[in-house]
Amino acid sequence: MNATLGRGPLVPQLERLLRDRIATGTWTAGQRLPREADLAAELGVGRSSLREAIRLLVHDGVLDVRHGVGTFVAEAAPAPDVETVLRRARLLEVFEVRRALEVEAARLAAARARPDALDPLREALRERDHRRGGDLAEFVAADLDFHAAVVALSGNPILVSLFASVRPQLHAALVELERHERELPDTSAAHDALLHAVEAGDSDAAIAATTANIDVVIAALRPEADR
């Protein structure tokens, strides 16, 4: 695999790589990209992953597919369309609710969780790490299993019920983010820190780890004028 591609979902990484090549002038407006087979071989990836990344860039107006001719860099970089703006606004609302719920759950989990009750949380984090780089929907499900385990350790049945009720929206939002958003950093370190904070009974550290995980996404989704 290309050295610039790391662990984690492959399609978003390919999308960012292709965008970077356009932004840095490797491919200029109106220029035809290399053939799909040649580009996939150069990057060391499967053609299906590359094709999905190209499809996303075509959807955003960055690339233009001319059937029977090839794929070209669009003549002008488009401004965000109304659909993109509305999608980000909807996702932002989901993550604002998530923040309010999970910060309190993490605080309570660190304060209340018994040492002999932490094995499910540790196992959930191991499973999340194992799923990184694999099927996107399965990775997101494993990620939410970890957060559900934190909420369960809060000992608050209402928080548990609230998390269960919003989980389908969270799953859909996270999958959509990984497929469409750019420059979302890996938050594995924040997940590790949250586990360590709960193990140590450190509520302040648990809050900090939770906000580190969620706030980076909220910042990416907010309109530039509000950042």
Side-chain angles (χ1 to χ4, degrees):
M1 183 178 291
N2 188 288
T4 60
L5 300 175
R7 295 180 62 188
L10 185 57
V11 171
Q13 293 186 68
L14 286 171
E15 183 189 1
R16 288 193 293 270
L17 187 150
L18 298 182
R19 286 183 186 272
D20 288 345
R21 289 194 174 186
I22 295 168
T24 58
T26 301
W27 299 321
T28 58
Q31 182 177 348
R32 179 180 174 179
L33 270 61
R35 292 189 313 119
E36 182 182 280
D38 295 338
L39 189 54
E42 175 197 339
L43 298 175
V45 299
R47 293 178 66 176
S48 61
S49 296
L50 177 62
R51 193 176 299 122
E52 175 64 11
I54 289 173
R55 186 191 68 78
L56 294 173
L57 293 175
V58 169
H59 175 77
D60 286 352
V62 176
L63 294 177
D64 176 28
V65 174
R66 304 174 193 172
H67 295 288
V69 180
T71 301
F72 295 78
V73 178
E75 292 293 341
D81 57 25
V82 172
E83 179 183 348
T84 298
V85 172
L86 291 176
R87 174 174 57 80
R88 287 187 174 184
R90 176 174 52 79
L91 293 176
L92 176 59
E93 291 172 353
V94 172
F95 273 82
E96 287 173 341
V97 171
R98 179 184 186 184
R99 188 185 194 282
L101 191 160
E102 289 193 33
V103 166
E104 179 62 10
R107 183 186 73 81
L108 291 174
R112 296 175 174 176
R114 303 186 315 275
D116 62 356
L118 297 180
D119 282 347
L121 183 61
R122 298 186 183 106
E123 177 57 32
L125 185 58
R126 284 193 290 269
E127 182 66 15
R128 179 188 185 276
D129 290 341
H130 174 70
R131 293 290 181 182
R132 285 183 62 206
D135 179 82
L136 177 56
E138 291 179 359
F139 169 72
V140 170
D143 177 75
L144 291 176
D145 284 343
F146 171 77
H147 293 287
V150 174
V151 176
L153 289 171
S154 74
N156 185 312
I158 296 178
L159 283 176
V160 172
S161 178
L162 286 172
F163 186 86
S165 69
V166 301
R167 178 166 177 161
Q169 290 91 338
L170 284 176
H171 187 277
L174 285 164
V175 170
E176 192 168 0
L177 277 167
E178 291 290 349
R179 285 180 175 162
H180 295 284
E181 293 298 325
R182 302 180 300 283
E183 300 177 357
L184 290 178
D186 179 15
T187 59
S188 294
H191 287 75
D192 292 339
L194 179 53
L195 171 61
H196 297 328
V198 175
E199 288 176 329
D202 189 336
S203 291
D204 289 339
I207 290 171
T210 303
T211 55
N213 176 44
I214 299 175
D215 283 0
V216 68
V217 178
I218 289 177
L221 291 172
R222 280 196 177 118
E224 290 187 7
D226 295 340
R227 295 178 190 171

